[in-house]
Amino acid sequence: MKTTLLLNSSMLLTLMIILTPTILPLATTSKNSAPSITRAVKTAFLTSLVPMTTFIHSGAESIISNWEWKFIMNFKIPISLKMDLYSMVFLPIALCITWSILQFASWYMASEPHITKFFSYLLIFLTMMLLLTTANNMFLLFIGWEGVGIMSFLLIGWWFARAEANTAALQAILYNRIGDIGLILSMAWLASTTNTWEIQHMHTTSQTPTLPLLGLILAATGKSAQFGLHPWLPAAMEGPTPVSALLHSSTMVVAGIFLLIRSHPMLSNNPTALTLCLCLGALSTLFAAMCALTQNDIKKIIAFSTSSQLGLMMVTIGLNLPQLAFLHISTHAFFKAMLFLCSGTIIHSLNGEQDIRKMGGLQNTLPTTTSCLTIGNLALMGTPFLAGFYSKDLIIENLNTSYLNTWALTLTLLATSFTATYSLRLTLLAQTGFNRTPPISSINENNPMILNPLSRLALGSIMAGLLISSLITPSNTPPMTMPTLTKMAAILVTTLGIIISLELSNMTHLLTLPKQNPYFNFSSSLGYFNPLTHRTNSSNLLLPGQKIATQLIDLSWYKKIGPEGLADLQQTSSKTLTSTHKGLIKTYLGTFTLSILIILMTL
Amino acid sequence: MSLLHLSFYSTFTLSCLGLAFHRAHLISALLCLESMMLALYLALSTWPVENLTSSSSLTPLLMLTFSACEAGTGLAMLVASSRTHGSDHLHNLNLLQC
C-alpha cells in the first residue's frame, strides 16, 4: 500500500515540478529565467529518482487514471499515466540529461537575448516528451508525439533568419507528418477494431493484422529517421547545439522506437512486421554509417551516428527484444548527449568552426572536453564495460545467435565496424595531430557550467550500462552459449574498423588522395537520396494536381462540356456550311447533280 | 438496252455532269448544254420510230428550234460577259456572292 502511494505521489510530484515554470508565470507575476528553469529540472530529476528506486526495490508498477473525456458513448479516453519499467527508468535519465544540457546551455547561449524563451521551449519540449513516455493511451501519446514535433520545429528554426534553418525545420515537420499518417492509421484501426486506446489492452492472442503494425512502423520511420524518411535528422543540425543534444540524440528521435516498444505485445505476434523492422533497421544503420564516413562537419558526423544507432534499435525491435532496445535507448542517451556537448564546447571555443579539417591538437588546450569526447566515442563503439557495451554487444550477440535474416546481420556488423571508423576519424582529426585552426581563438573551458554537466554525463556514460542492466530484471534470457568467434564478433569488427581508420588517417597525412571515386561520392552526397527524392516526389504530386485542377476541372468540365464546347461545335459547322451558301452557281449545280444521283441510285 | 438507248442516256448523263462540274469557262457549260440538247433530240427522234406513232414526229423539230434559240441566247450572254470582263471565266460572274 505504502509502496504504490510513494510511487504515485512522487511521480505526480515530478510531473508537477516540470509543469511549474510553464504555468506559474501565467498565474502569478513571477518571471522565469534560465537559472530558475534549470533549478526546476534539477529538482524534478532528484524527485524522479524516488519512483525509480521504488520500482527497482519492489518491482511495483502502476497506472494512474484521471478525468475522462466523454466524447463518444462507448469509447473511453481517460487521462491515464502508466508507470512501468520503461517510463520509470526513462524519466530520471531524460531529466538528468536535460538538467546537464540546460546547465550547458546557460553558457552556450549566454549571448542570446531571448535565452529565457529558449529555455521555456526546451522545458515545454521536455514536458511533451515525458507525456509521451508516461502515456497509457494512444491519445495522450499522440498529444506528446505532436508536441515534440512542434517544439522540434520551433527549436530547429531558432535562428530563423537563416534560410537553411527554416528549410531544415520545415523538412523535419514534413517528414514527421508522413510518419504521423501511419500513427493515425493505427489509432483508427485500434479504435474501430478493439474499441480502446489503452496500452494495456493492446494485446492480441492470435496473429495481429499487418495493417496497424505497418502504420506504427511508418510512424517510427518518420520520427526515428529510419531509411526512407531520414533526411531531416542531419538537416536538423541547423539548430543550436543544446537542441541537437536534447532532441535529436537522446529524446525525441527515440520516440518512434518507444512507440514500438509500447506496442510490443501486438508486434511480437506478426513475423512479417518483425522482419520488416529488422531489415529496415539494418538498412538504416548501414546507410547512416556509410554517410558518416566522409562528413566533415562535426555535428553532422554525430547526427549520422545517432541515425545509425536508431537503426540498431530498430533491429533490436525486429529481434523481438524490446527491453534490450530500451536499454540501448538509455545508454545511448548518455554518451550521445555528451558527444554533442563536447562538440558544442569545441565549436564555441574555436569561434564557430564546425569543420573537423580545421581542428586539431585540441587535446592540449581542451583536456576535459577531449577526454569526454574520447569516452563518448569509446562508449559509442561498444568498448567492453563502458555503457554502450552492455546494450550494443548484447544486441550483436542476440543477432548472431538468432535464426533470422543473414543479410540484416551482415549489414549490422558492417555498420558496427563503420561506427568505429568514423568515431576514430572524428577523434583523430579533432583532438590529435597538429593545430589547424586560425591562430587567435579564445579557448577556455574553465567554466563550471561546462565541466559539471560534462563530467556528470561522462560518469553516466561509464556507469549507466552496468547499473541499469544489473538492477533491472530481464524479461527474457540472453543467449548464454555461443562459439568463441560469434562472441568476439562485435569486438573483432570494431577492432577492424579501428585499424582501417588508423590506416586511412595515415593515408591522409602522408599521401594525397589522387582523384574522386564513386564510393566517396556516394558517401559524401548522402547516397544521392536528397536530390533524387525531394524533387521527383514533390513534382510527381504537384503536377498531376495542377493538371486535374486547371485542365480537367476548370477547362474540361466547366468550359468545354458546357458553353464553350457548344460554341465550338456551332462555329465549326457554320464554317463548313457557309461555303455552300455563297451564291455560286457551281455549288448549286453540284448539289443538284448530287441529289439526282441519290434519287437515281435509290430507284 | 440497245446501243442507241445507251448512247443517248450516257451522252445526257455525262453532259449533265459536265454542266454541273465545269471549272473555268462559261463556254464549256454551253457546250455541255448543247450536247444535252443533242441527246434529247436523239431520244425524241427514236421514240416515234420505236413506238410506231408517226403523230409525234413533230416533237423533235420543236425541240430543235427551241434549242437553237437557247443556244443563241447563251452565246449572246457569253459575248456580253466577254465584252464586260474581257474573258469568259466563271469567277467573273460573282455579283451575287456574299
Side-chain angles (χ1 to χ4, degrees):
Chain A
M1 179 62 200
K2 280 192 258 186
T3 315
T4 42
L5 185 62
L6 183 64
L7 192 74
N8 291 337
S9 47
S10 47
M11 198 57 149
L12 283 174
L13 187 63
T14 315
L15 294 173
M16 288 299 173
I17 297 176
I18 288 292
L19 279 176
T20 309
T22 317
I23 297 182
L24 210 57
L26 300 172
T28 67
T29 55
S30 60
K31 284 197 189 306
N32 277 337
S33 64
S36 80
I37 295 181
T38 318
R39 236 177 294 131
V41 175
K42 174 177 174 185
T43 322
F45 162 62
L46 293 172
T47 322
S48 71
L49 288 175
V50 175
M52 180 173 86
T53 41
T54 318
F55 169 72
I56 292 173
H57 170 71
S58 66
E61 303 184 356
S62 81
I63 297 178
I64 306 173
S65 256
N66 287 336
W67 178 75
E68 177 189 322
W69 184 27
K70 294 197 172 25
F71 176 53
I72 303 178
M73 249 321 149
N74 289 335
F75 196 71
K76 290 169 81 68
I77 311 179
I79 299 185
S80 63
L81 306 173
K82 184 179 173 87
M83 322 292 174
D84 64 341
L85 161 73
Y86 302 126
S87 60
M88 279 195 283
V89 173
F90 189 74
L91 223 63
I93 294 174
L95 285 168
C96 175
I97 293 175
T98 313
W99 171 36
S100 309
I101 291 174
L102 287 178
Q103 239 187 334
F104 177 80
S106 314
W107 170 76
Y108 193 82
M109 309 287 287
S111 58
E112 173 74 47
H114 301 292
I115 187 171
T116 314
K117 193 159 92 157
F118 184 73
F119 273 60
S120 318
Y121 279 3
L122 284 177
L123 190 69
I124 297 176
F125 166 80
L126 181 67
T127 316
M128 289 290 158
M129 188 67 207
L130 296 184
L131 185 64
L132 195 155
T133 321
T134 54
N136 192 27
N137 56 357
M138 295 293 278
F139 186 65
L140 278 184
L141 196 136
F142 187 66
I143 294 177
W145 186 276
E146 292 294 308
V148 299
I150 292 180
M151 296 324 291
S152 164
F153 171 74
L154 288 173
L155 283 168
I156 296 175
W158 177 255
W159 291 316
F160 51 80
R162 252 177 91 81
E164 286 99 345
N166 286 328
T167 318
L170 204 59
Q171 217 177 347
I173 284 282
L174 286 175
Y175 276 113
N176 278 342
R177 254 299 169 247
I178 301 178
D180 290 348
I181 297 175
L183 186 60
I184 296 182
L185 172 71
S186 313
M187 282 170 71
W189 183 87
L190 277 173
S192 61
T193 314
T194 58
N195 199 29
T196 178
W197 272 344
E198 303 280 309
I199 301 230
Q200 71 260 25
H201 295 153
M202 275 165 65
H203 176 74
T204 55
T205 46
S206 60
Q207 189 176 20
T208 326
T210 321
L211 184 64
L213 300 177
L214 280 182
L216 290 174
I217 294 174
L218 182 64
T221 312
K223 196 63 117 183
S224 297
Q226 304 297 310
F227 181 74
L229 298 176
H230 65 279
W232 68 272
L233 190 52
M237 297 297 121
E238 292 288 335
T241 307
V243 168
S244 309
L246 186 56
L247 271 73
H248 306 119
S249 59
S250 336
T251 342
M252 187 183 108
V253 289
V254 298
I257 306 289
F258 204 81
L259 176 70
L260 290 182
I261 293 178
R262 278 276 191 243
S263 53
H264 167 255
M266 274 207 310
L267 204 59
S268 58
N269 284 335
N270 195 333
T272 316
L274 287 177
T275 317
L276 182 62
C277 283
L278 191 69
C279 297
L280 185 63
L283 186 60
S284 313
T285 181
L286 182 65
F287 183 76
M290 211 162 43
C291 291
L293 288 176
T294 53
Q295 292 300 310
N296 293 318
D297 187 355
I298 187 172
K299 282 178 74 172
K300 285 241 162 54
I301 296 181
I302 308 181
F304 278 113
S305 155
T306 308
S307 196
S308 180
Q309 295 304 305
L310 288 170
L312 192 63
M313 291 174 207
M314 190 65 129
V315 165
T316 322
I317 300 270
L319 288 172
N320 210 6
L321 300 166
Q323 224 178 4
L324 197 52
F326 179 72
L327 180 63
H328 195 57
I329 289 179
S330 316
T331 52
H332 169 260
F334 278 109
F335 52 76
K336 200 44 68 71
M338 186 168 71
L339 281 175
F340 267 112
L341 293 193
C342 294
S343 73
T345 315
I346 295 175
I347 291 170
H348 246 35
S349 305
L350 296 177
N351 204 16
E353 185 57 63
Q354 285 185 297
D355 198 334
I356 56 175
R357 297 173 293 190
K358 294 194 196 154
M359 301 175 193
L362 288 174
Q363 225 159 354
N364 303 316
T365 46
L366 293 172
T368 316
T369 311
T370 45
S371 316
C372 292
L373 193 67
T374 315
I375 294 176
N377 277 328
L378 286 176
L380 176 60
M381 286 194 266
T383 313
F385 309 117
L386 288 182
F389 172 74
Y390 288 94
S391 49
K392 214 168 159 190
D393 205 61
L394 264 181
I395 297 175
I396 305 268
E397 275 179 25
N398 274 303
L399 194 56
N400 281 339
T401 54
S402 66
Y403 292 103
L404 291 176
N405 220 322
T406 316
W407 179 74
L409 170 68
T410 321
L411 290 188
T412 314
L413 283 178
L414 205 56
T416 314
S417 72
F418 281 173
T419 307
T421 313
Y422 63 70
S423 302
L424 193 66
R425 175 172 178 259
L426 174 64
T427 315
L428 285 176
L429 276 177
Q431 293 174 220
T432 62
F434 291 108
N435 206 334
R436 295 184 293 275
T437 61
I440 311 281
S441 41
S442 57
I443 300 183
N444 184 11
E445 62 167 10
N446 289 322
N447 198 336
M449 294 295 221
I450 312 172
L451 296 179
N452 283 345
L454 231 47
S455 34
R456 212 179 300 131
L457 288 179
L459 193 65
S461 303
I462 300 174
M463 306 295 295
L466 178 62
L467 281 177
I468 300 177
S469 60
S470 55
L471 291 174
I472 308 293
T473 47
S475 58
N476 56 345
T477 52
M480 297 289 185
T481 59
M482 61 193 85
T484 317
L485 190 61
T486 317
K487 181 85 180 163
M488 309 289 286
I491 302 282
L492 282 176
V493 293
T494 308
T495 322
L496 192 66
I498 291 177
I499 294 173
I500 293 180
S501 172
L502 286 172
E503 195 57 44
L504 283 177
S505 64
N506 266 347
M507 266 177 72
T508 51
H509 285 172
L510 303 175
L511 306 169
T512 54
L513 203 61
K515 53 183 176 292
Q516 289 182 357
N517 60 341
Y519 306 109
F520 182 83
N521 284 345
F522 184 79
S523 173
S524 72
S525 57
L526 313 183
Y528 313 116
F529 187 87
N530 290 18
L532 280 178
T533 53
H534 287 177
R535 285 175 191 231
T536 56
N537 268 342
S538 40
S539 60
N540 281 348
L541 283 173
L542 291 175
L543 273 178
Q546 184 193 31
K547 283 206 191 93
I548 290 178
T550 54
Q551 288 172 349
L552 183 61
I553 298 181
D554 283 351
L555 195 63
S556 305
W557 286 344
Y558 290 164
K559 291 209 256 180
K560 287 294 175 194
I561 300 205
E564 265 190 36
L566 198 61
D568 280 342
L569 201 62
Q570 301 283 20
Q571 218 174 18
T572 323
S573 50
S574 62
K575 266 197 253 185
T576 333
L577 291 177
T578 313
S579 55
T580 57
H581 294 298
K582 281 208 186 130
L584 291 176
I585 289 280
K586 245 175 40 171
T587 325
Y588 293 153
L589 283 175
T591 327
F592 163 72
T593 16
L594 207 61
S595 331
I596 296 287
L597 275 174
I598 292 176
I599 291 174
L600 282 179
M601 274 199 293
T602 57
L603 269 182
Chain B
M1 64 179 73
S2 65
L3 187 60
L4 186 59
H5 289 186
L6 174 67
S7 70
F8 60 71
Y9 271 139
S10 57
T11 314
F12 185 79
T13 319
L14 284 173
S15 323
C16 212
L17 284 177
L19 175 65
F21 297 129
H22 59 276
R23 281 186 53 182
H25 293 278
L26 187 57
I27 192 159
S28 56
L30 293 176
L31 273 173
C32 291
L33 222 54
E34 288 307 307
S35 60
M36 276 168 72
M37 295 300 146
L38 182 63
L40 282 177
Y41 175 70
L42 275 176
L44 280 176
S45 312
T46 318
W47 191 22
V49 171
E50 288 196 347
N51 294 335
L52 301 172
T53 57
S54 56
S55 58
S56 36
S57 317
L58 187 59
T59 331
L61 282 173
L62 287 177
M63 212 223 95
L64 209 55
T65 321
F66 282 118
S67 94
C69 298
E70 169 210 322
T73 320
L75 281 173
M77 281 200 290
L78 178 71
V79 168
S81 86
S82 96
R83 285 227 179 120
T84 323
H85 300 286
S87 67
D88 66 342
H89 285 145
L90 277 166
H91 59 74
N92 291 327
L93 309 170
N94 56 1
L95 203 56
L96 286 175
Q97 185 179 17
C98 59

